[in-house]
């Protein structure tokens, strides 16, 4: 995959995740996020995006890139799960 395709795909997915959370917050009584929750989620998406940007800039081997991007995604999901339900307690 080309670098620009990866970048564009990530930022579109990040925007869609934020939009889906905002939409669910408007229409569901079971999905209640505060402004702080949206701020934290936005910071997490930004941090993951910047990490992926660094990987794409510095890693030139496609397998190495894939491994590092996978690591960023897994770290993002683990932090998200911990903040949501506290899986590590």
């Amino acid at each position: 995959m080309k670098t620009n395709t990866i970048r564009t795909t990530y930022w579109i997915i990040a925007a869609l995740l934020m939009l889906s959370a905002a939409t669910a917050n408007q229409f569901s009584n079971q999905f209640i996020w505060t402004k702080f929750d949206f701020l934290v989620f936005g910071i997490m998406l930004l941090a993951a995006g910047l990490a992926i940007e660094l990987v794409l800039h510095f890693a030139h081997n496609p397998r190495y890139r894939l491994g590092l991007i996978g690591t960023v995604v897994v770290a993002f999901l683990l932090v998200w799960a911990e903040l949501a339900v506290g899986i590590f307690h």
Side-chain angles (χ1 to χ4, degrees), residues 2-25:
K2 291 185 178 182
T3 303
N4 287 337
T5 305
I6 296 170
R7 285 185 175 118
T8 304
T9 302
Y10 173 77
W11 292 111
I12 288 172
I13 290 171
L16 288 174
L17 283 171
M18 192 63 102
L19 183 63
S20 66
T23 304
N25 202 34

Side-chain angles (χ1 to χ4, degrees), residues 1-81:
M1 254 181 142
K2 291 185 178 182
T3 303
N4 287 337
T5 305
I6 296 170
R7 285 185 175 118
T8 304
T9 302
Y10 173 77
W11 292 111
I12 288 172
I13 290 171
L16 288 174
L17 283 171
M18 192 63 102
L19 183 63
S20 66
T23 304
N25 202 34
Q26 294 295 317
F27 296 110
S28 174
N29 293 333
Q30 297 176 352
F31 192 93
I32 303 168
W33 276 16
T34 64
K35 291 178 184 178
F36 180 73
D37 295 324
F38 282 103
L39 177 68
V40 170
F41 190 54
I43 290 170
M44 287 175 54
L45 288 170
L46 182 63
L50 292 176
I52 289 172
E53 291 286 342
L54 287 173
V55 167
L56 293 174
H57 182 73
F58 289 111
H60 300 291
N61 184 337
R63 288 185 182 184
Y64 192 57
R65 277 185 177 179
L66 183 62
L68 288 173
I69 289 173
T71 302
V72 169
V73 170
V74 168
F76 173 83
L77 291 174
L78 286 173
V79 170
W80 189 10

